Amino acid sequence: MRALIVDKTDSGITAGIETISEDRLPTGEAGDKMVTVAVNYTTVNYKDGLCMTGGGALVRDYPHVPGIDFAGTVEASDDPRYSPGDEVVLTGWRVGEIWWGGYADKARVKGDWLVPLPKGLTQRQAMAVGTAGLTSMLSVMALEGHGLTPGGRPVLVTGASGGVGSVAVAILAKLGYEVAAVTGRPEWETYLKSLGASTIVARGDIAAPPKRPLGRETYSGAIDAVGGSMLAHALTLIQYGGSVAAVGLAGGPAIEGVTVLPFILRGVNLLGIDSVMQPREARLSAWSRIAEDLPLGLLDAMIEEKTLADVPALGTAILEGKIRGRIVVDMAK
Ligand code: NDP
C-alpha cells in the first residue's frame, strides 16, 4: 500500500510517499477492537502541517504516517458495530499524531474512534468538513449552549478564510446570524461574502493587543481560530453576557494583552473547544448538525481537490496561512 512516511533523519524531518507492507499497520493492544479501513479521502488540517514538519512535538515515534482525518470503507473489523463495506469517518483521537493516520491507502484504528459516515454526506464531503469543520460546529453548539441566538449583534469569526473559519461562516450564516469575518487576505472578501459573511474586518484592525480593557460592545459572540492578541482584542468587543469559542492558535498561543475585565464586568465567557478527545455522543450530534446546517453547495465551493503527492507541500502552506477553505485529498487520484 502507498503511505506518506514522515521520518526523522540527521538532516531533519522528511516526508515522502513509499510503498510499504500492510503488515506494518498498527495492531492495537490486547482487547482493542481494531478496524481496517480502505482510505478513500483525507484532508489537510493545520495540525497535519505540524505533524509533517515536526512542529509542536506532536509525533512521538518515527517513521510515522500522519493524517488526522480520513473517510473510507471498512475492509475488516474486530468490532461488532462495523462490517466490511461500511462507510466510516475518523477525526481526532490523536490518530495521525501518536497513532498512524490517514495518509495511506489503508488505516487500522480502534472501532471506538470511528463514526459511521453521517447520513446526507458523501465521504468526500465528510473530508471537506474534517476536523476543521467539526470544530466549527462544536463551537457553534457551545455558543448556542451559552445563549447565543440569531437576530442580535454580529458574530465575529477570526481566521475566516481558513478551514475552521470558512465552515463557521457558512454555518452561522445559514442559521440566520449576521457574520463579521476577520481576514488578513482582502482578496478573499468575495469568497467570504459568498459563504454568508455580511461584514469583512481587516486583520490589522483587530490583530494588535487591545489599547483599552473594554471596547464598544460590537459582537454577540465569536469563534476564534487565531488566538494570540487577536483573541485578547476580540474579548473586549463582546457584548454583555456573550461568549467566545477559543479554537486555535494560528496567530500564537499566548493571549497577549488580556485583562479580567471582560469577564468580571461584562460576564463574557471564554469557551475552550477541543475536537480531538470529544466524546463519541457529542461527535455524533455535531456530525448530524453538520448534515443539517452546513449548506452543501457552499461546502463544495470551499474545496480544493488534491492528491496524496501534494500533501507534504500543503502541510507547509497551511502553517504559513496560505490555504483557503478546505482541501480534499482523493486517494484514487
Ligand atoms: P487554516 O490555516 O486553514 O486557517 C487559519 C487562518 O488563520 C488562516 O487561513 C488565516 O486566515 C488566519 N491566520 C493565519 N496566520 C495568522 C496570523 N499570524 N495572525 C492572524 N491570523 C492568521 O487552519 P485551520 O482553520 O485548519 O485551523 C485554525 C486553527 O484552529 C489552528 O490553530 C488549528 O490548530 C486550530 N484547530 C483547533 C482544533 C481544536 O480541536 N481546538 C481543531 C481544528 C483546528 P485569514 O487569511 O482569513 O486571516
Side-chain angles (χ1 to χ4, degrees):
M1 61 176 213
R2 286 174 312 158
L4 176 60
I5 301 281
V6 174
D7 211 348
K8 197 176 198 169
T9 66
D10 292 342
S11 51
I13 303 291
T14 60
I17 296 173
E18 296 179 20
T19 302
I20 64 165
S21 162
E22 280 179 46
D23 297 345
R24 289 179 65 188
L25 286 172
T27 49
E29 287 160 11
D32 287 346
K33 294 192 168 36
M34 303 299 284
V35 180
T36 307
V37 179
V39 177
N40 297 320
Y41 293 94
T42 176
T43 177
V44 179
N45 294 279
Y46 190 91
K47 197 181 259 178
D48 293 311
L50 293 173
C51 291
M52 282 188 276
T53 55
L58 297 173
V59 177
R60 291 187 191 157
D61 299 314
Y62 294 93
H64 175 70
V65 176
I68 69 168
D69 295 341
F70 62 79
T73 309
V74 172
E75 276 202 354
S77 175
D78 304 331
D79 187 321
R81 289 170 294 183
Y82 297 104
S83 309
D86 288 352
E87 295 186 281
V88 290
V89 174
L90 178 129
T91 64
W93 296 112
R94 306 206 67 191
V95 171
E97 300 176 49
I98 56 178
W99 311 103
W100 276 21
Y103 292 160
D105 287 323
K106 292 185 188 183
R108 188 177 292 133
V109 295
K110 292 185 195 179
D112 285 343
W113 296 341
L114 293 167
V115 294
L117 179 70
K119 278 199 181 62
L121 296 184
T122 62
Q123 291 186 27
R124 183 176 183 272
Q125 286 165 333
M127 282 300 98
V129 174
T131 283
L134 180 68
T135 308
S136 311
M137 182 48 94
L138 290 168
S139 303
V140 170
M141 290 165 77
L143 293 175
E144 289 173 344
H146 284 77
L148 187 73
T149 50
R153 294 182 173 100
V155 179
L156 188 71
V157 176
T158 70
S161 56
V164 171
S166 293
V167 179
V169 169
I171 294 172
L172 288 166
K174 157 81 186 322
L175 292 172
Y177 293 93
E178 209 182 304
V179 181
V182 181
T183 185
R185 294 182 283 178
E187 65 272 27
W188 295 130
E189 176 169 342
T190 309
Y191 163 74
L192 289 168
K193 289 200 164 156
S194 75
L195 298 182
S198 32
T199 325
I200 304 298
V201 178
R203 187 191 292 179
D205 290 351
I206 191 173
K211 290 204 173 92
R212 290 179 295 141
L214 288 175
R216 183 202 291 235
E217 293 174 87
T218 311
Y219 305 109
S220 57
I223 296 179
D224 174 53
V226 171
S229 47
M230 193 178 291
L231 173 54
H233 204 137
L235 283 163
T236 68
L237 304 176
I238 303 299
Q239 74 180 31
Y240 191 93
S243 304
V244 177
V247 172
L249 44 55
I255 314 178
E256 261 174 80
V258 73
T259 75
V260 298
L261 296 192
F263 310 121
I264 65 173
L265 294 184
R266 284 204 183 141
V268 169
N269 307 296
L270 183 56
L271 311 176
I273 307 297
D274 169 59
S275 61
V276 179
M277 304 308 289
Q278 195 66 220
R280 183 181 162 83
E281 283 313 307
R283 284 167 193 267
L284 292 173
S285 47
W287 276 111
S288 79
R289 281 286 307 271
I290 285 166
E292 226 171 89
D293 291 329
L294 174 60
L296 296 181
L298 294 185
L299 181 67
D300 286 338
M302 294 175 207
I303 297 176
E304 234 187 292
E305 196 167 287
K306 298 288 182 181
T307 67
L308 188 60
D310 298 323
V311 167
L314 294 166
T316 307
I318 201 164
L319 295 180
E320 292 170 350
K322 289 185 178 157
I323 301 294
R324 189 209 74 176
R326 296 284 300 140
I327 289 159
V328 169
V329 177
D330 183 344
M331 296 297 285
K333 291 187 177 158

